[in-house]
Amino acid sequence: MAATIAPVVATPATPAVLTPPAPKPKEKGPACKLSTIINGQFVMVQMIGKGGYGVVYEVIRRDSPNVRFACKAELALAHNNLKTEWDLMTLLKDNKSKHNIIGVELGSERNYNYIIMHLVGPSLADLRKNIPNKSFTLYTTTVCGIQCFDSLVEIQRLGYIHRDVKPSNFAIGVLGSDEEKLVYVLDFGLCRNMFNKSKELRKPRMKAPFRGTIPYCSLNIHQRMEPGRHDDFWSLLYMMIEFHLSDLPWENMTKENTKKEKESKIDSLLGKCPLEFQMIRCYLTSLCYSREPDYAKIRGVLCQIMIKNKFTPDMPLDWQNGGPYENIFKPLAAVVKHKKSKKKVDLSELLDLPKPGTAPLYTMRDFPTPGEQEQPRDESVSKSDDTIIEKEGPPPAPKPIPKPTILPAPVLKNSNENHHKAGTTISVKPTTPAQRSTGEHNSLKPLAPTGPGARSPTHHLSLKPLTAVPQPPTTIKQSVRRVPVHRHKSDNDSVKPGAVSKHNPTTMTAKVQHPTPPFNGSVAAPAMMIPPTPRK
Ligand SMILES: Nc1ncnc2c1ncn2[C@@H]1O[C@H](COP(=O)(O)OP(=O)(O)OP(=O)(O)O)[C@@H](O)[C@H]1O
């Protein structure tokens, strides 16, 4: 018998209710906090600094809790800045840099990428702010100036520019160790490769997006000129003026007002500084993007400050024993209980000062007078650049169709223009895949041979185990104001898209991994050199 098949009644499809998907909760920052365990082996014990997208923690190894490292964690975005930072750190290490921090591990967890690196001491910004009159002695200003300069030259000799030179991006070694005389350069997140694959200088863009930190960037950057090697040194000059005079008059001003102040106040500021500062200013004014700075000349001028003032490398720096602020920094050094590096730092070797009488004595006659010289120009500025110009703010107004009777189209004012807070690093996220893909221009490869300037083997901060220490007394805490940072660091100018997968953590380890015993929950008391005061 044939089975009766009930007719299939087509039921009208339930009208699809188009409910928009619930918005994903916005990730404000890396999902890590105190006691977070990274890659099963590093435990976060103290926050050192915080930025808009990232955070720096002091961490310990679970299998040797007295070994301290620093961990920089940043939100995992399409663009992995830390990968670039790691690559440049590695490149510097391979080239025997003296001022580079050693990277230990690059990886990713949950919503963030991270770098584990050797722990260093307080930044130059923190040190200066802890001194009552907020200025360093001329000796300390000059020693730091020479070392910061050398660290930037190390980067530039590899074909890169830093683009975010400021006091919080330089730090000394751990207080109380011999490395407290050594200045390290930090944060390669905005570094840019200046050369293309054929090792030719990339053509300067007609207009470059703003990158850097307002109080320290050069006037060229304010004018959106392509950042060049000399711009790193302009920032260094502003830093040195600040170290010497205690502040910069344009601190906390808007970008526009900062520019005006930089133009109008530079002469009076330099009038209160050694003449060599003015010489450097005059020399930098004579440079442009394509002109390679005469590194020996700038260094020679800096060394001249030491020689003229009879400064010798055996003199103590402001924070050292015997220095003018020993009483402020000694208690801080004392709380650093973890095993200090035994590495000897020889300041006379680092500074490598010419013997008195053997170096040329520079006078103002050796430098062009700003204003009297012809403004240096880059002939190669071109629209057909190999890079893109990123937009900040709204797109440009469409060109009006010319009609004799209508008024000119209003010029769209860049809404972001003057709203960057002073002291913050500014960069712009690439917006399109095409833009992001241009990150390949920054592939990290050495361009210039390290040549005769190649340095002696890299200094390793050998952080060795020690016994757990109690929490330092709170009375020793200092108010270390950190510079607020609102940073958008997916800068395709400076970085290459990262290859770190969120779900399948990849780690690049520079050290042999030790077996990790189970974490017993007890975290050694923080033994960082400056108590944590997270930046805003
Ligand atoms: N290896 C380290 N050891 C100790 N402190 C560190 C280390 N790396 C960074 N710091 C501290 O953390 C602060 C922020 O580091 P870094 O500049 O790399 O991060 P950032 O988020 O890019 O900040 P910014 O945007 O202000 O440059 C530094 O000023 C320094 O004081």
Side-chain angles (χ1 to χ4, degrees), residues 63-327:
D63 57 356
S64 45
N66 300 308
V67 182
R68 308 272 159 145
F69 293 95
C71 171
K72 182 169 177 177
E74 278 189 6
L75 261 185
L77 301 166
H79 204 79
N80 184 353
N81 280 304
L82 290 185
K83 169 78 171 70
T84 310
E85 210 161 338
W86 172 267
D87 288 347
L88 192 45
M89 276 174 128
T90 311
L91 194 55
L92 282 161
K93 184 180 162 216
D94 293 347
N95 282 278
K96 314 270 185 266
S97 153
K98 284 186 176 175
H99 301 277
N100 170 45
I101 298 176
I102 304 295
V104 174
E105 184 171 304
L106 166 75
S108 71
E109 296 251 316
R110 297 165 72 187
N111 74 344
Y112 57 90
N113 302 319
Y114 66 85
I115 286 180
I116 308 283
M117 59 186 140
H118 283 189
L119 182 72
V120 297
S123 73
L124 297 184
D126 291 337
L127 289 165
R128 188 183 67 82
K129 284 170 195 161
N130 277 282
I131 289 174
N133 66 0
K134 310 275 177 268
S135 66
F136 291 141
T137 57
L138 181 59
Y139 171 68
T140 296
T141 298
T142 313
V143 170
C144 290
I146 294 174
Q147 292 198 55
C148 294
F149 174 78
D150 286 349
S151 72
L152 295 171
V153 174
E154 284 177 347
I155 293 170
Q156 294 193 2
R157 287 206 193 279
L158 293 171
Y160 290 81
I161 48 172
H162 189 284
R163 297 201 298 176
D164 199 13
V165 172
K166 58 179 173 181
S168 60
N169 279 341
F170 294 94
I172 57 165
V174 172
L175 269 178
S177 74
D178 212 35
E179 288 184 32
E180 64 182 357
K181 291 181 274 186
L182 178 60
V183 176
Y184 289 95
V185 58
L186 310 174
D187 194 3
F188 305 136
L190 285 186
C191 282
R192 176 178 163 90
N193 191 338
M194 295 196 66
F195 296 85
N196 62 23
K197 282 179 186 155
S198 322
K199 301 186 180 177
E200 292 155 348
L201 191 69
R202 290 164 72 178
K203 282 182 188 163
R205 292 161 292 185
M206 286 177 79
K207 189 179 174 207
F210 190 93
R211 296 286 183 274
T213 301
I214 296 169
Y216 302 98
C217 71
S218 75
L219 283 170
N220 304 327
I221 304 302
H222 279 283
Q223 287 156 15
R224 304 299 179 81
M225 289 163 79
E226 181 68 67
R229 291 160 280 199
H230 58 317
D231 293 306
D232 278 354
F233 302 132
W234 271 111
S235 304
L236 177 60
L237 180 63
Y238 292 137
M239 268 175 59
M240 289 185 70
I241 295 173
E242 187 180 43
F243 290 165
H244 187 58
L245 298 180
S246 85
D247 58 10
L248 292 168
W250 47 81
E251 214 182 333
N252 300 321
M253 285 190 183
T254 61
K255 201 198 280 182
E256 209 39 57
N257 287 341
T258 299
K259 177 173 175 277
K260 285 185 196 144
E261 291 280 294
K262 281 178 185 167
E263 285 162 344
S264 63
K265 300 257 167 80
I266 187 75
D267 282 313
S268 67
L269 289 174
L270 289 173
K272 297 179 220 153
C273 297
L275 204 56
E276 284 75 14
F277 284 34
Q278 178 70 282
M279 292 177 196
I280 292 174
R281 178 252 187 139
C282 293
Y283 178 61
L284 294 179
T285 312
S286 74
L287 296 176
C288 60
Y289 171 80
S290 55
R291 216 172 282 175
E292 187 184 14
D294 182 341
Y295 297 123
K297 189 166 189 170
I298 302 175
R299 200 179 195 283
V301 175
L302 289 170
C303 290
Q304 186 164 305
I305 307 174
M306 297 285 290
I307 293 163
K308 264 187 152 163
N309 290 282
K310 300 196 171 29
F311 293 150
T312 52
D314 55 351
M315 290 165 60
L317 293 161
D318 288 359
W319 46 87
Q320 285 193 280
N321 281 350
Y325 305 109
E326 170 190 17
N327 56 339

Side-chain angles (χ1 to χ4, degrees), residues 42-56:
F42 294 100
V43 186
M44 293 183 162
V45 292
Q46 178 171 229
M47 190 191 280
I48 306 175
K50 194 175 180 189
Y53 276 76
V55 65
V56 180

